[in-house]
Amino acid sequence: MNSSSVTRRSVLRTLTVALALVGSATPAWDTTAVAAEPETYALTITHLDRAGRKTADYVTNVTGISGPGADEAVHPYDASGTTTVRLPKGRYLLDSSLTAGAGASGTDWIVQPRLDLDRDTTITVDARTTSPVDVRPPDKSAGFLYSAMVVEVTHGGTTRLANLMNSQPNLRVAHLGPDAEAGSVKQWFDAYWTTENLGYGLGYIFTGNRALAGLTRHPSREDLATLQVRGAARPGAEGTATVDLQPSAGLTVGFSQKLPKPGTATYLVTPERGTWDVTYHTPSAPGAPTNRYAADGIAVRAGRTTTHTFDNAVFGPDLTGRPGVVRDGDRVGVDVPLLADGDGHVPSSPPYDAASTTLHRNGVLIGTQSGTPGRAEFTVPRGRATYRITSTAKRGGAPGTATRVTASWTFTSDTTTSPTPAPVSVVRFSPALSPTGTAAADASIRVPVTVLGAAAGGRTRSLAVSVSEDGGASWTQVPVERGAVTIRNPHAGAGVSLRAELTDIGGNTLTQTVVDAYRTQ
């Protein structure tokens, strides 16, 4: 895990502080009075280093929370170490980071979560008041990468943030000023280390009425949860992937590493930080869009191992977290990912050669659309009718790459007055395969079968599963027993295709086919 870099969230979880806008509309001179300027007070801040001397090596932020100064955000500075700024009356959040020259002695971060400015006020930010942040993993050989600390203050229904990123482990922190209201100060700290074989993500969250005045955490191996990320290498998809790891909640930084495929990245993380997010980027051909998978909100437990495998067979349709087909008035929208990976991760830009979606109404063709697999939109006549939607994705490659995936649904639908999900379902096949999408030849394999969508939760009337060894030219039905089918694999190098035929309790149907679902070796 020697290759790493800081990554930021694609959606920044922080609160933008807007500058106050004055005179956004010009009133008529004879009808509107000019608004009075808000009363202001002088805020004087003196900065002292660890020797008690004034220092010019500081960055101070004052952010308005409530009152006339709620929209203020200033960064006062004077090289003398003492700076003065005039601000409207109100509640403010102040944070100040002080460094010793080139940073050899680390950083002191002092936070005042409650600054009530209702008179001329003088504050001293003193590095001698800070205490160390001593957080480290159990492996003494692990190298420190970076850390991030965030303070979130809420008052009067408004939330403001202060944050500090640090590239050195010697951070010291302190609280300044009076206590804020109970539970109004939330603070978290995230730090990352790495060894040749492991990555460490140690994060902690605190809630109270004060900012942290130091922090000590030395977790043992048993205190941490293991999170494994496996990168598969289906035929034609070899190369180097990128794995990003970060906590789910709050503004933070994450850990990023390169992962040769097939391969496994292993992380030890703190359950105290909550759930974790993993983003997996597959290698892409020159000029092709990057294909990204995301697994968000991964729950972890101390002493337990959680594994996510990305970009491996069986590729097929998925309806997790989405209705799939929606009728809104006289428009029918289709959004069923046809090429989700074997763990159910939905790709952002799956590779494919051709894709189409066709809609029939009462047996009459309404239209066909080409483009992203499983996505289309149609305008249909008003009234009740029986619909058949068929989506297909084709791609070249060896067995195990899902060379053709088709899902065909029939259901009855009437004109709606608001977006209404149609009763569609899909079937997920989840055999235990190698990281190259293969299973042992001439051996039996158990393939779990999971129903998603309208027929899930006991709403399936009938389900038949068939298997093909000749690319779908002929099919043999296999019984579904206790949520799975058992398949006798053919000779080495063969592709195994899977088909499901389903009817739910409302009479809606699905026929789903995955040609070359996995291969034997």
Side-chain angles (χ1 to χ4, degrees):
M1 287 194 180
N2 355 19
S3 176
S4 61
S5 63
V6 177
T7 60
R8 295 183 181 274
R9 297 184 181 278
S10 58
V11 177
L12 186 62
R13 296 190 177 106
T14 186
L15 186 64
T16 301
V17 178
L19 296 178
L21 299 178
V22 179
S24 58
T26 304
W29 290 107
D30 58 344
T31 59
T32 305
V34 177
E37 290 291 331
E39 186 177 4
T40 64
Y41 299 100
L43 174 62
T44 300
I45 310 167
T46 297
H47 304 81
L48 304 180
D49 64 17
R50 292 181 187 177
R53 298 185 297 261
K54 285 189 177 183
T55 177
D57 296 317
Y58 67 89
V59 175
T60 292
N61 307 291
V62 183
T63 305
I65 305 176
S66 64
D71 292 329
E72 297 286 344
V74 297
H75 317 285
Y77 179 82
D78 189 281
S80 69
T82 298
T83 180
T84 299
V85 62
R86 296 196 68 86
L87 292 168
K89 180 180 179 179
R91 172 73 67 92
Y92 291 86
L93 163 65
L94 180 146
D95 75 282
S96 185
S97 58
L98 301 89
T99 56
S105 298
T107 300
D108 298 288
W109 196 40
I110 300 172
V111 178
Q112 181 165 344
R114 178 177 182 174
L115 171 56
D116 292 315
L117 190 64
D118 54 9
R119 69 196 70 177
D120 291 346
T121 302
T122 298
I123 291 175
T124 299
V125 175
D126 190 343
R128 295 172 296 178
T129 65
T130 61
S131 298
V133 173
D134 182 13
V135 176
R136 56 180 183 265
D139 189 341
K140 295 182 179 179
S141 69
F144 177 80
L145 295 175
Y146 37 79
S147 67
M149 183 172 280
V150 181
V151 176
E152 177 185 275
V153 179
T154 301
H155 177 69
T158 299
T159 298
R160 297 289 188 256
L161 298 181
N163 66 88
L164 180 75
M165 291 180 56
N166 209 32
S167 60
Q168 298 184 15
N170 45 353
L171 172 66
R172 299 172 65 92
V173 297
H175 169 90
L176 180 63
D179 290 356
E181 291 77 14
S184 65
V185 180
K186 186 176 182 180
Q187 190 163 357
W188 55 91
F189 176 73
D190 298 315
Y192 300 89
W193 287 259
T194 185
T195 69
E196 287 294 324
N197 302 310
L198 290 173
Y200 287 92
L202 308 185
Y204 301 93
I205 302 177
F206 308 88
T207 301
N209 57 5
R210 295 171 62 86
L212 289 176
L215 173 63
T216 300
R217 292 291 187 275
H218 302 154
S220 67
R221 181 73 180 255
E222 291 72 26
D223 296 326
L224 302 176
T226 301
L227 181 56
Q228 286 189 331
V229 177
R230 300 173 68 215
R234 56 185 173 81
E238 298 80 3
T240 301
T242 302
V243 180
D244 297 335
L245 170 75
Q246 59 198 10
S248 302
L251 173 67
T252 188
V253 293
F255 180 84
S256 181
Q257 99 170 74
K258 299 295 184 183
L259 180 65
K261 298 179 24 171
T264 301
T266 302
Y267 306 96
L268 296 179
V269 299
T270 46
E272 295 93 326
R273 189 58 172 88
T275 61
W276 292 76
D277 295 347
V278 171
T279 305
Y280 182 90
H281 300 265
T282 66
S284 58
T290 299
N291 190 25
R292 177 180 60 84
Y293 295 97
D296 294 336
I298 301 173
V300 296
R301 291 181 60 185
R304 300 287 183 89
T305 298
T306 302
T307 302
H308 276 255
T309 301
F310 292 90
D311 207 32
N312 199 18
V314 171
F315 295 92
D318 187 85
L319 284 178
T320 304
R322 69 187 71 210
V325 177
V326 173
R327 174 80 177 265
D328 186 4
D330 295 324
R331 300 192 68 80
V332 175
V334 183
D335 182 14
V336 182
L338 291 185
L339 295 170
D341 70 14
D343 268 13
H345 305 119
V346 176
S348 63
S349 302
Y352 66 96
D353 296 332
S356 64
T357 298
T358 298
L359 175 67
H360 287 80
R361 180 182 186 273
N362 289 336
V364 178
L365 176 66
I366 295 294
T368 298
Q369 294 184 13
S370 301
T372 304
R375 295 192 67 179
E377 188 172 286
F378 302 92
T379 300
V380 297
R382 298 183 60 82
R384 184 177 180 86
T386 298
Y387 290 88
R388 184 174 78 252
I389 297 175
T390 302
S391 286
T392 300
K394 298 178 182 179
R395 56 184 182 181
T401 60
T403 55
R404 186 172 76 250
V405 177
T406 300
S408 183
W409 303 274
T410 65
F411 57 90
T412 300
S413 174
D414 203 344
T415 303
T416 64
T417 57
S418 61
T420 304
V424 298
S425 306
V426 298
V427 172
R428 297 291 301 166
F429 298 107
S430 308
L433 302 174
S434 76
T436 56
T438 60
D442 301 314
S444 295
I445 184 173
R446 184 177 184 270
V447 181
V449 179
T450 304
V451 177
L452 302 174
R459 296 186 296 271
T460 300
R461 177 185 298 170
S462 64
L463 173 61
V465 174
S466 302
V467 61
S468 173
E469 300 176 8
D470 54 12
S474 61
W475 295 93
T476 300
Q477 187 170 328
V478 288
V480 181
E481 299 173 328
R482 295 186 300 277
V485 297
T486 300
I487 297 173
R488 179 68 183 180
N489 286 330
H491 57 83
V496 177
S497 302
L498 300 170
R499 184 176 68 188
E501 296 169 288
L502 177 149
T503 301
D504 69 14
I505 58 176
N508 310 293
T509 69
L510 161 74
T511 300
Q512 176 183 310
T513 304
V514 181
V515 175
D516 294 324
Y518 66 90
R519 61 191 175 95
T520 58
Q521 69 170 5

